[in-house]
């Protein structure tokens, strides 16, 4: 539930068929490790933070208040498509085209303009991640965006969720233009 459902780290749901519950034990043992009840065996995990499991019902309520999966995915997909179109037009580049079955809703890759500055960033990419450009975006413009080297080009990998708005992508557009010294 962490990440996509707005939950604290460590919150997940696991359903185990009753037939197998007796054989399931947590990796961290504690004083209830031999309890006959599955829930008791996982209840107290030494010094681990207990807030995530307590938050479970509130996380589910909040997710439903936002409209549930269909509403959230539609918002994310629509905004990602709009942002990718706007960025590719503003930068004069293309979007990475993927078959529908390979696309993740709410994500897109847009080619970063090929400039001398872009090539200097590409020269420092490590394992396909262009960390120097990512750091400069963060440090100089307070913008966070994944930058990946793929097929000889640098790509901005945008990922949209319900807390993103159009203004976030205008800010990314302008930050990349400023760092790469593109005409406005």
């Amino acid at each position: 539930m962490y990440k996509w459902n707005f939950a604290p780290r460590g919150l997940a749901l696991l359903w185990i068929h009753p037939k197998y519950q007796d054989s399931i034990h947590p990796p961290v043992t504690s004083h209830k490790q031999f309890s006959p009840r599955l829930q008791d065996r996982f209840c107290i995990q030494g010094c681990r933070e207990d807030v995530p499991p307590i938050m479970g019902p509130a996380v589910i309520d909040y997710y439903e208040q936002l409209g549930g999966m269909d509403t959230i995915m539609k918002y994310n997909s629509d905004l990602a498509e709009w942002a990718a179109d706007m960025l590719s037009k503003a930068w004069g580049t293309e979007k990475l085209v993927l078959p529908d079955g390979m696309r993740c809703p709410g994500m897109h890759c847009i080619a970063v303009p090929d400039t001398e500055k872009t090539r200097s960033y590409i020269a420092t990419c490590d394992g396909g991640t262009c960390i120097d450009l990512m750091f400069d975006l963060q440090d100089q413009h307070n913008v966070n965006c994944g930058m990946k080297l793929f097929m000889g080009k640098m790509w901005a990998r945008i990922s949209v969720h319900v807390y993103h708005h159009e203004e976030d992508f205008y800010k990314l557009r302008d930050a990349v233009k400023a760092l790469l010294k593109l005409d406005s």
Side-chain angles (χ1 to χ4, degrees), residues 9-23:
R9 279 186 199 258
L11 178 58
L13 299 177
L14 174 66
W15 183 85
I16 301 167
H17 191 283
K19 174 174 144 181
Y20 300 107
Q21 289 180 5
D22 288 341
S23 64

Side-chain angles (χ1 to χ4, degrees), residues 89-92 113 115 173-174 176-178 180-184:
K89 182 178 178 186
W91 294 341
T115 67
R173 174 199 65 194
D174 296 343
V176 168
K177 283 179 144 186
L180 300 182
K181 300 178 180 9
L182 300 173
D183 295 328
S184 297

Side-chain angles (χ1 to χ4, degrees), residues 23-174:
S23 64
I24 303 298
H25 297 276
V28 177
T29 59
S30 195
H31 69 279
K32 289 193 172 192
Q33 72 185 48
F34 299 112
S35 173
R37 287 188 58 224
L38 180 67
Q39 295 88 332
D40 290 344
R41 293 194 298 267
F42 283 84
C43 180
I44 299 173
Q45 296 277 310
C47 295
R48 193 184 80 191
E49 176 63 64
D50 288 328
V51 170
I54 293 169
M55 294 296 302
V59 165
I60 292 168
D61 288 346
Y62 181 65
Y63 189 77
E64 290 173 355
Q65 286 173 20
L66 291 174
M69 179 168 299
D70 291 341
T71 300
I72 292 170
M73 286 291 124
K74 179 168 178 14
Y75 177 84
N76 295 349
S77 295
D78 290 351
L79 182 56
E81 192 67 37
W82 172 87
D85 288 341
M86 182 274 295
L87 291 170
S88 66
K89 182 178 178 186
W91 294 341
T93 63
E94 80 260 40
K95 300 185 299 186
L96 182 63
V97 178
L98 295 172
D100 287 342
M102 291 180 64
R103 287 202 45 226
C104 177
M107 297 178 108
H108 261 293
C109 288
I110 305 94
V112 174
D114 183 21
T115 67
E116 186 177 325
K117 184 69 173 171
T118 305
R119 288 186 291 279
S120 72
Y121 281 120
I122 288 174
T124 65
C125 290
D126 182 24
T129 299
C130 302
I131 201 81
D132 287 350
L133 177 54
M134 291 169 58
F135 282 164
D136 287 349
L137 283 169
Q138 181 65 49
D139 294 344
Q140 296 175 36
H141 298 276
N142 199 28
V143 169
N144 187 327
C145 182
M147 294 289 172
K148 300 291 182 183
L149 184 60
F150 179 68
M151 300 186 317
K153 295 180 184 178
M154 187 182 303
W155 299 84
R157 180 190 157 278
I158 60 170
S159 179
V160 175
H161 214 333
V162 295
Y163 43 78
H164 288 113
H165 304 281
E166 290 180 359
E167 296 80 27
D168 298 314
F169 299 100
Y170 287 130
K171 190 173 179 181
L172 171 62
R173 174 199 65 194
D174 296 343

